[in-house]
Amino acid sequence: MNDYKKLDIEDVYPKIKSYQQLSLIKNFIFWVGNISSGNDTRNTIFVRPFLQKSKEAQNLIGDNFYIKSNFHGYGGKSYKCFFLNDKFYLVWIDQITNSIWCKIFEIHNDTKNAIYLNNLTSSKQLTKSFKCNYDASFVLSNKNKLYGLCEKDEKDFLFTIDINKERQELKVLREFEGFASSLGCNKDKTLLSWLEWDTNKMPWESNNLFFGSINKFDQLQNIVKFKDKNINSDKPVSFFQPLWIAKNILVCSEDSSGWWNLLFLKINQTDEICVLKKIQKEFYEYGLPEWISGMSIFTGTNKNLFCLVKNKESWMLEHYQDYSFHRKIDLPFNCLRDLHVSSNRLICLASDDISHEQLIEIDVDKFLKSSFSSNITQSKIINASTKAKSYWFKGYGGEMTHAWIYEQNSYNKNKPPLIIKAHSGPTSSFDGSFNLEVQYWTSRGWFIAEVNYGGSSGFGRQYRERLNNLWGVVDSADCVALAQSLDKEQLIDPSRIVISGNSAGGLTALTALYKFNLFKAAFCKYPVIDLNDMRLNTHRFERNYLNSLIGNFENNQKKYFDRSPKNNLHKINKPTLIFHGKNDSVVNFRKSTNFNKKLLEKNVY
């Protein structure tokens, strides 16, 4: 294959401006970005005006912080900005001091010198240094009380502190039996809402929506769990992103129908909760697995609610008015995330199969798709790239299963070799977005297939539950079925097939390598090699993840042994390449080095 269009390393790993942890408050966009500070890890919070990408960003807090959340292991958003009494209250989590910080600003009317917000205070350390993990779903009351969630000594807590005091102890309002997330409050700051789930469950398997009231002494009382006979009275349901959109109206999504659909609740008091409207749309997902905190896919008010929703394979933007669907807003993208709205100003991160992920900013009242399309930042290798194609095939048990396929971008008389890619999670998915590593291989004549094997998210609860008790069985069989389907259509060379996967996808790849005589090699990043080791040593959030994927350990020890690649190493006789970082807190890197050593001892390259 000498006719490929070569992509240089600079093309595969270009420097692209990144917006992480977005917020939109009034007319200002906030985000977290890295800064250079010697050998130390440092980042900061930036701001600039909406719809002014050419404007220089303002560094709001300097370079003395490492802003990061480690809440439930994977973390998520690490700051929150409030606009109250014409002031901006910026609250963030700093890992250097292990504490919460705050700074207050007001709008600066002259923006010529890239100063958009004036300092009203210096950065203030609100809490003492504690060895705990904070969540950034903070709530700020009208009485300057800050409410938040934290994780300490393997327990979750709801706490409060005073926004005006420094180096405080945490005042604990509630100790949770399991996990908690998604703290929010109504407009009057009298009711709190949050999600809870048991330690032996994952939040996308089953969780509960709770409410509680705050009295004049800042005490939490009248705690109730939402329950409805048509939603969660007799079956497990997953709630996602509870959000207050009016004085007494909350929207969230829940999957009692088998799909994460919108639910509007009216809450006058904790003992007066009723379903205002329940949307039911098949093949539409208004939710995601809650690996990290702070995910936002719907936002706004009851008058104008904007939603990101996955319909079958692609994401789209919808506009709801007064709890009813109003219109779809057509965008030239099919991968959308991190949506934020202020009035009718809207921002989110967007990409498709020919452009890098980028921040898009829309004034909804003036939006025209035609004028917007001209501002898309396409990759400079677009003429040498291949587009993702949605592909359905019959997988394990004859179930229709999804994949993204990328045809080779060079041709000769031979059919192309194939790389099958298994995603991590395993409760995750491929979205078909532009991936330069994929383009690297297609430019060299390879056919690439990304498998959304049974257990992947975004295709409804039933699809997600195909992997229950069958991790290592369904996923690897789906990889094989995809390769066989592509071969049947004469798209690939069946004698040259390789499989790859990261983390959970590494277990899938290695399992497929030794179970089926189809793959000629495997390459993995930080693969799960020992299921029992993962169960014992992963962080608290995932400790009981295997209960659903494999089964309860006490009753399924043989499955844990039989499905661990470590215990099937003697069956591997094909080249295997493993990458692993020493600081991995989920999968022990020594498992990979020992695995590699034993392969070499039996003369497997």
Side-chain angles (χ1 to χ4, degrees):
M1 267 179 286
N2 298 317
D3 60 343
Y4 62 77
K5 299 175 182 178
K6 182 178 179 180
L7 297 185
D8 295 328
I9 292 298
E10 297 78 39
D11 295 328
V12 179
Y13 299 104
K15 292 182 179 179
I16 302 169
K17 186 165 185 179
S18 175
Y19 291 90
Q20 299 298 326
Q21 303 182 45
L22 289 167
S23 297
L24 178 61
I25 314 294
K26 304 300 285 184
N27 196 44
F28 297 97
I29 300 172
F30 298 79
W31 72 95
V32 173
N34 293 329
I35 53 178
S36 299
S37 182
N39 295 322
D40 295 331
T41 301
R42 292 286 191 275
N43 57 12
T44 192
I45 301 171
F46 291 103
V47 68
R48 70 158 169 83
F50 176 76
L51 274 183
Q52 297 188 40
K53 284 190 176 182
S54 61
K55 290 272 190 179
E56 183 183 349
Q58 178 186 354
N59 182 336
L60 292 175
I61 62 172
D63 59 359
N64 295 318
F65 302 98
Y66 179 36
I67 306 159
K68 186 177 185 292
S69 168
N70 291 320
F71 191 62
H72 294 166
Y74 287 108
K77 203 158 188 177
S78 56
Y79 77 95
K80 191 162 184 180
C81 187
F82 305 91
F83 188 73
L84 187 65
N85 300 325
D86 295 323
K87 299 174 184 175
F88 290 89
Y89 290 78
L90 189 61
V91 182
W92 67 92
I93 302 162
D94 175 47
Q95 292 298 325
I96 297 174
T97 58
N98 294 312
S99 59
I100 301 172
W101 289 69
C102 177
K103 194 173 184 180
I104 304 174
F105 304 86
E106 66 179 0
I107 297 175
H108 183 70
N109 292 320
D110 183 3
T111 62
K112 291 181 181 179
N113 298 318
I115 304 297
Y116 314 115
L117 302 181
N118 285 331
N119 300 328
L120 292 180
T121 66
S122 58
S123 297
K124 180 166 55 181
Q125 185 178 342
L126 298 181
T127 65
K128 293 181 178 179
S129 295
F130 295 121
K131 192 175 181 181
C132 64
N133 298 324
Y134 294 103
D135 182 34
S137 61
F138 299 114
V139 166
L140 181 60
S141 76
N142 297 322
K143 297 186 293 181
N144 291 324
K145 294 293 184 182
L146 186 76
Y147 299 90
L149 299 172
C150 72
E151 177 185 31
K152 180 176 173 59
D153 298 328
E154 304 230 321
K155 291 183 178 180
D156 285 1
F157 300 90
L158 172 65
F159 68 89
T160 184
I161 52 176
D162 192 315
I163 201 78
N164 295 314
K165 295 181 180 179
E166 297 187 55
R167 293 179 170 81
Q168 303 163 71
E169 299 280 353
L170 303 179
K171 180 183 176 182
V172 174
L173 302 180
R174 180 172 171 83
E175 178 182 327
F176 298 97
E177 292 183 7
F179 293 93
S181 72
S182 306
L183 185 66
C185 70
N186 65 345
K187 304 298 180 182
D188 293 340
K189 315 292 176 70
T190 56
L191 293 174
L192 294 180
S193 58
W194 64 89
L195 297 176
E196 288 187 38
W197 63 96
D198 295 337
T199 55
N200 63 344
K201 296 286 186 183
M202 303 304 288
W204 52 85
E205 295 171 4
S206 176
N207 61 14
N208 290 291
L209 175 61
F210 277 82
F211 297 92
S213 60
I214 299 293
N215 65 20
K216 62 182 180 180
F217 303 108
D218 298 314
Q219 296 171 326
L220 183 66
Q221 58 185 22
N222 302 323
I223 298 170
V224 298
K225 178 172 70 175
F226 169 72
K227 202 160 192 177
D228 182 270
K229 63 180 181 179
N230 296 317
I231 297 174
N232 63 338
S233 61
D234 60 353
K235 60 182 176 181
V237 168
S238 172
F239 294 89
F240 178 77
Q241 200 196 328
L243 174 74
W244 293 88
I245 56 174
K247 181 179 179 181
N248 61 343
I249 305 296
L250 179 138
V251 65
C252 63
S253 62
E254 54 82 24
D255 68 350
S256 61
S257 68
W259 304 87
W260 268 308
N261 282 175
L262 295 178
L263 175 70
F264 296 92
L265 299 177
K266 186 174 182 179
I267 306 104
N268 293 321
Q269 298 293 333
T270 55
D271 57 352
E272 293 182 52
I273 303 173
C274 65
V275 174
L276 191 63
K277 190 166 187 178
K278 184 175 183 291
I279 308 293
Q280 194 157 321
K281 295 166 72 174
E282 200 173 15
F283 304 113
Y284 282 76
E285 290 267 72
Y286 296 83
L288 293 164
E290 195 179 343
W291 288 103
I292 61 173
S293 61
M295 291 185 289
S296 175
I297 63 171
F298 41 85
T299 183
T301 66
N302 59 316
K303 297 296 182 184
N304 287 292
L305 179 70
F306 298 91
C307 308
L308 300 182
V309 55
K310 188 176 183 185
N311 175 221
K312 297 182 179 176
E313 305 94 350
S314 299
W315 286 89
M316 63 180 68
L317 175 63
E318 291 184 340
H319 184 185
Y320 278 73
Q321 288 187 334
D322 296 318
Y323 324 115
S324 296
F325 175 78
H326 174 57
R327 60 172 171 160
K328 174 189 170 188
I329 299 177
D330 288 319
L331 297 175
F333 302 99
N334 57 9
C335 299
L336 303 166
R337 68 180 182 94
D338 211 5
L339 175 69
H340 301 273
V341 170
S342 177
S343 297
N344 271 8
R345 296 179 289 267
L346 178 154
I347 64 172
C348 74
L349 294 173
S351 63
D352 58 17
D353 57 5
I354 59 173
S355 59
H356 301 289
E357 185 175 76
Q358 56 204 276
L359 172 66
I360 61 171
E361 306 167 52
I362 301 173
D363 184 330
V364 177
D365 296 327
K366 302 175 182 177
F367 173 71
L368 289 172
K369 182 181 176 182
S370 56
S371 61
F372 182 74
S373 301
S374 62
N375 296 322
I376 298 173
T377 306
Q378 293 184 348
S379 169
K380 70 177 184 178
I381 68 148
I382 183 60
N383 293 326
S385 65
T386 180
K387 292 187 176 183
K389 294 180 181 178
S390 179
Y391 184 83
W392 289 87
F393 64 98
K394 287 187 178 180
Y396 181 85
E399 297 275 11
M400 293 306 297
T401 306
H402 182 258
W404 292 101
I405 62 173
Y406 306 79
E407 295 181 7
Q408 70 281 10
N409 200 23
S410 60
Y411 297 91
N412 59 30
K413 61 182 180 180
N414 299 318
K415 292 176 186 174
L418 168 68
I419 297 177
I420 293 279
K421 296 183 66 180
H423 62 69
S424 60
T427 313
S428 183
S429 64
F430 288 116
D431 58 14
S433 58
F434 190 65
N435 184 330
L436 280 166
E437 289 189 12
V438 167
Q439 301 300 329
Y440 175 89
W441 291 108
T442 58
S443 78
R444 280 155 169 78
W446 287 78
F447 193 110
I448 305 295
E450 299 175 327
V451 195
N452 283 321
Y453 50 78
S456 301
S457 54
F459 303 93
R461 176 179 274 267
Q462 189 176 24
Y463 194 111
R464 209 166 63 234
E465 290 180 345
R466 288 184 195 175
L467 208 59
N468 283 6
N469 301 313
L470 291 171
W471 186 27
V473 178
V474 169
D475 45 327
S476 59
D478 282 346
C479 291
V480 172
L482 173 56
Q484 291 172 337
S485 179
L486 295 171
D487 176 36
K488 188 176 181 180
E489 294 189 35
Q490 298 187 348
L491 294 172
I492 54 99
D493 179 351
S495 69
R496 297 186 293 163
I497 304 177
V498 174
I499 188 164
S500 75
N502 303 345
S503 189
L507 179 138
T508 300
L510 292 172
T511 300
L513 186 68
Y514 66 73
K515 281 181 69 174
F516 304 95
N517 191 31
L518 179 71
F519 303 101
K520 303 304 179 185
F523 58 97
C524 311
K525 296 177 185 175
Y526 37 90
V528 174
I529 287 174
D530 186 340
L531 288 169
N532 191 39
D533 181 76
M534 177 184 173
R535 179 185 71 89
L536 292 172
N537 296 314
T538 191
H539 48 63
R540 170 177 170 248
F541 176 74
E542 284 190 344
R543 193 165 299 152
N544 293 302
Y545 190 14
L546 299 181
N547 284 351
S548 61
L549 296 174
I550 305 293
N552 176 279
F553 179 75
E554 283 69 26
N555 300 323
N556 295 278
Q557 293 186 38
K558 188 175 186 301
K559 286 184 183 178
Y560 280 74
F561 184 90
D562 290 346
R563 295 190 198 166
S564 295
K566 165 193 165 186
N567 302 320
N568 292 278
L569 187 144
H570 61 284
K571 300 176 184 176
I572 297 178
N573 55 12
K574 306 287 178 60
T576 306
L577 176 62
I578 298 176
F579 300 84
H580 210 132
K582 289 185 176 180
N583 294 330
D584 196 328
S585 62
V586 180
V587 180
N588 188 334
F589 84 97
R590 290 186 179 85
K591 295 293 178 180
S592 287
T593 54
N594 290 338
F595 194 81
N596 175 66
K597 181 180 177 181
K598 290 180 179 179
L599 284 174
L600 292 175
E601 287 174 354
K602 61 194 291 282
N603 296 318
V604 175
Y605 178 69

